[in-house]
Amino acid sequence: MTARELYLYARARLSEAGIDSPGFDASLLTEHFLGLDRPGLALHGDTVPPEEKRQGFIEAVGQRARRRPLQYILGEWPFMSLTLKVGEGVLVPREDTAVLVEALAARLDRGAQGLDLCAGTGAVGLGICSLAPGARVTCVELDGTAMGYLWKNIERYPGYSCTAVTADVLSAPKGFQGGLDFIASNPPYIVSDELSALQPEVQKEPSLALDGGRDGLVFYRAILKNWAGLLQEGGLLGVEIGETQAGDVSALFAQHGFEDVAVHRDLAGLNRAVTGVKASV
């Protein structure tokens, strides 16, 4: 089969499997496994790939048809200006999270120091470093598998002042110094009973990174109760939220003495992040 025939096979196979964007996925698989992007496919589509590449491509298409996340198959995924290592056991970085990163970074002074809680791939922490000059971020992650990806991503960007530590966000912090300029988090926020209704691909991501408890707010309460005290007066707290959680999370911020509480929307107009300023005592 030629490269063009392989691409058409992939697009048809993924369409039959119910993939939402079969052409997009087939294009990325073609580029990754056959080395041909869309312009390359137009110019060199009649070439016959080596057997090893062909077999790898067909196997990858089969995995995607079985709803393995495309990001896991490719092994990395873009986020803002970054390219992050991903795979089984870590949450896939999503464009929505850029709303949180941009909202915080826009208000940070040079050299600001803070935390990225429930860090996963490090998308939030590294994203802040990419936008806020001199930012120093400690990424906090509990799961060992996710921590492996986190360290790989930190090492990929040695120019950023970013490190990682293992800790449970649901517990009180130990060994962390206060006086922080910011705390950021994209915590688990899916209501436990709703996990089974998620897309098949999302259900293959770690439940530890998705399950926000009975009402989806468990981690927000823990962050405000246990971690917000590490902020200095005037420090910023920012969290990603589910699109229906703005009211509840904003209320929690206010209950814990945060001022200037703001809800930030994504490009689709959906509520995506909440930020607040730690008030003076």
Side-chain angles (χ1 to χ4, degrees):
M1 298 174 72
T2 66
R4 182 177 295 108
E5 288 170 338
L6 286 167
Y7 163 76
L8 293 173
Y9 157 79
R11 191 176 67 181
R13 175 83 185 277
L14 298 182
S15 179
E16 291 171 0
I19 301 300
D20 290 338
S21 53
F24 175 78
D25 290 32
S27 293
L28 290 187
L29 292 172
T30 301
E31 182 174 357
H32 183 80
F33 288 92
L34 305 182
L36 294 173
D37 57 13
R38 284 186 179 274
L41 193 62
L43 291 172
H44 307 290
D46 292 333
T47 60
V48 178
E51 181 63 16
E52 182 178 353
K53 287 188 175 182
R54 188 183 74 84
Q55 289 295 341
F57 177 80
I58 290 175
E59 171 59 27
V61 172
Q63 291 179 17
R64 186 69 189 101
R66 294 189 293 274
R67 310 307 286 266
R68 185 184 180 203
L70 176 65
Q71 296 88 343
Y72 287 178
I73 297 171
L74 300 178
E76 60 183 28
W77 196 251
F79 175 74
M80 302 178 65
S81 63
L82 309 168
T83 301
L84 302 175
K85 293 282 188 181
V86 295
E88 274 75 11
V90 72
L91 190 71
V92 171
R94 291 170 168 83
E95 184 179 353
D96 296 337
T97 304
V99 175
L100 168 63
V101 173
E102 292 167 352
L104 284 175
R107 301 181 64 178
L108 297 179
D109 295 329
R110 176 176 289 275
Q113 182 176 0
L115 302 176
D116 170 13
L117 303 180
C118 305
T121 60
V124 172
L126 288 167
I128 288 173
C129 287
S130 74
L131 295 181
R136 294 170 291 163
V137 183
T138 299
C139 296
V140 179
E141 176 57 50
L142 176 64
D143 182 74
T145 301
M147 182 64 79
Y149 290 102
L150 176 56
W151 272 116
K152 288 178 182 178
N153 289 324
I154 289 174
E155 292 167 358
R156 178 174 261 189
Y157 295 96
Y160 296 150
S161 181
C162 201
T163 189
V165 298
T166 301
D168 185 355
V169 173
L170 293 179
S171 300
K174 297 179 181 179
F176 291 84
Q177 294 186 346
L180 298 176
D181 300 299
F182 69 91
I183 293 176
S185 183
N186 176 17
Y189 55 72
I190 305 297
V191 175
S192 298
D193 289 345
E194 296 177 359
L195 292 173
S196 61
L198 297 174
Q199 289 181 320
E201 290 87 348
V202 180
Q203 292 187 42
K204 295 183 187 301
E205 297 183 63
S207 60
L208 187 67
L210 297 169
D211 191 345
R214 186 171 59 182
D215 62 358
L217 303 175
V218 168
F219 281 84
Y220 301 116
R221 294 192 187 96
I223 290 169
L224 285 157
K225 177 183 177 181
N226 299 327
W227 296 82
L230 297 176
L231 288 168
Q232 64 175 325
E233 293 180 8
L236 293 170
L237 175 62
V239 295
E240 183 171 329
I241 61 170
E243 60 187 72
T244 65
Q245 295 174 317
D248 289 334
V249 175
S250 296
L252 288 172
F253 270 51
Q255 290 168 17
H256 285 80
F258 279 81
E259 300 176 336
D260 298 326
V261 177
V263 177
H264 306 267
R265 296 182 178 182
D266 60 21
L267 294 176
L270 300 175
N271 295 327
R272 191 55 61 191
V274 172
T275 58
V277 177
K278 185 176 181 181
S280 302
V281 178

